[in-house]
Amino acid sequence: MPIWSAPWNCYYSNLIEGHDTHPADIERALKNDYSQDRRKRDLQLEAKAHIAVQQWIDSGGLKGGIAIRAGDCGNSPALLRLLPEDLLWVEDP
C-alpha cells in the first residue's frame, strides 16, 4: 500500500470502531508530533500502531498464515504491544 493511503485507510478503519482521529493528526503522529491532549495523543499512537502493523503484514509478516486461537484476534498481539495503556481497556457504556 502506498504510504500516502495509509492515513486514510487507518482513519476509516478506526472510525468504524468509534475512534475518530483526523487524518492530519495521523500524519503528525507518523512524524512523532503528538497532541498535548492525552486522549487525542492516545488515538494518534493507536493510528501509528495500526499503520505499523499493516506495513508489517504487507511486507510479508504473515508468511505461512497465522493460527487463530479462541480469544486471539490474529495480528492483535503485535498491535497491542504498540498501544498506550489507556487503550488496552474496554468500557461497556
Side-chain angles (χ1 to χ4, degrees):
M1 152 181 9
I3 189 67
W4 57 265
S5 66
W8 286 104
N9 291 338
C10 176
Y11 167 73
Y12 286 113
S13 178
N14 289 351
L15 188 61
I16 289 168
E17 300 199 15
H19 293 179
D20 187 3
T21 310
H22 193 278
D25 291 324
I26 296 171
E27 289 282 356
R28 286 185 196 102
L30 293 173
K31 297 174 184 171
N32 297 317
D33 178 13
Y34 302 105
S35 172
Q36 296 298 312
D37 176 87
R38 193 188 93 222
R39 178 72 179 141
K40 192 172 183 179
R41 182 187 65 245
D42 284 351
L43 292 174
Q44 285 180 295
L45 290 167
E46 176 191 36
K48 189 173 178 179
H50 175 183
I51 290 170
V53 170
Q54 187 62 55
Q55 288 174 336
W56 173 76
I57 291 168
D58 292 347
S59 68
L62 293 180
K63 281 190 177 167
I66 186 167
I68 300 177
R69 301 179 307 266
D72 185 7
C73 297
N75 66 355
S76 65
L79 176 64
L80 294 177
R81 285 192 298 275
L82 299 172
L83 289 177
E85 179 71 24
D86 285 348
L87 292 180
L88 296 177
W89 298 95
V90 177
E91 296 175 14
D92 183 1

